[in-house]
């Protein structure tokens, strides 16, 4: 695999590394984020996130075999898919982590979200700092989602640091 944003995200979602994202792997992100935030499985915010993630998976799985290959993902991913499905699903993960429902995450909440979602801890500090444009110690929901959208669709974004890439994009070797 190359080092494109799509490859990085696919590898993160393909938890067992077998070359396909299963429904269980994809929806497990919701459960991991909920557990990290201390939310119960029956919390309405968690339930809404499951529904949003299921819709994403169903749309990605072009041949409806219960597995999303990289080719299916690569064909699916982009600006339109982000706006139709991912904004809602990724926003729902943000909402799970946003325990006071103020539309903003502090550094600890942001770190828990990113780590539980499967990004690991490398680059999280840099991503937070880049998204906290007004330096108030908080990242708002719109900045978070815009950062992910820009990384997924163009490879450049403050969120790139959370995926192990440089602040403005991927390493020059890509």
């Amino acid at each position: 695999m190359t080092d494109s944003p799509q490859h990085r995200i696919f590898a993160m979602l393909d938890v067992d590394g077998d070359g396909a994202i299963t429904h269980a792997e994809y929806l497990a992100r919701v459960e991991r984020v909920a557990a990290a935030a201390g939310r119960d499985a029956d919390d309405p915010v968690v339930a809404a996130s499951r529904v949003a993630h299921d819709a994403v998976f169903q749309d990605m799985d072009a041949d409806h075999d219960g597995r999303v290959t990289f080719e299916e993902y690569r064909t699916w991913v982009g600006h339109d898919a982000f706006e139709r499905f991912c904004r809602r699903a990724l926003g729902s993960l943000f909402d799970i982590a946003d325990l006071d429902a103020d539309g903003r995450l502090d550094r600890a909440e942001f770190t828990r979200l990113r780590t539980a979602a499967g990004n690991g801890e490398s680059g999280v500090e840099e991503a937070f700092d880049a998204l906290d444009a007004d330096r108030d110690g908080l990242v708002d929901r719109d900045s978070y989602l815009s950062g992910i959208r820009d990384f997924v669709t163009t490879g450049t974004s403050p969120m790139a640091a959370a995926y192990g890439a440089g602040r403005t994009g991927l390493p020059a070797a890509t």
Side-chain angles (χ1 to χ4, degrees), residues 5 8 33 39 46 49 57-58 71 90-91 99 107 122 133 145-146 156:
R8 287 173 182 254
V33 171
R39 290 197 186 253
V46 175
S49 188
F57 187 85
Q58 298 306 323
E71 287 306 313
L90 294 169
L99 295 176
R107 189 176 298 272
S122 176
L145 294 173
S146 293
T156 60

Side-chain angles (χ1 to χ4, degrees), residues 140-158:
D140 67 74
R141 192 176 195 272
D142 288 337
S143 295
Y144 178 76
L145 294 173
S146 293
I148 295 173
R149 181 200 61 225
D150 292 347
F151 180 71
V152 168
T153 60
T154 69
T156 60
S157 159

Side-chain angles (χ1 to χ4, degrees), residues 79-156:
H79 182 76
D80 290 339
F82 189 90
E83 294 304 327
R84 281 182 308 152
F85 293 100
C86 293
R87 178 174 294 281
R88 182 171 166 229
L90 294 169
S92 73
L93 292 177
F94 186 99
D95 296 343
I96 291 171
D98 183 11
L99 295 176
D100 64 3
D102 70 350
R104 302 175 302 169
L105 300 179
D106 64 26
R107 189 176 298 272
E109 291 169 321
F110 181 86
T111 301
R112 275 192 303 274
L113 167 59
R114 302 304 298 156
T115 303
N119 292 290
E121 294 183 33
S122 176
V124 174
E125 293 292 321
E126 294 87 349
F128 183 89
D129 291 342
L131 291 173
D132 180 16
D134 63 5
R135 304 293 179 244
D136 66 352
L138 300 167
V139 170
D140 67 74
R141 192 176 195 272
D142 288 337
S143 295
Y144 178 76
L145 294 173
S146 293
I148 295 173
R149 181 200 61 225
D150 292 347
F151 180 71
V152 168
T153 60
T154 69
T156 60

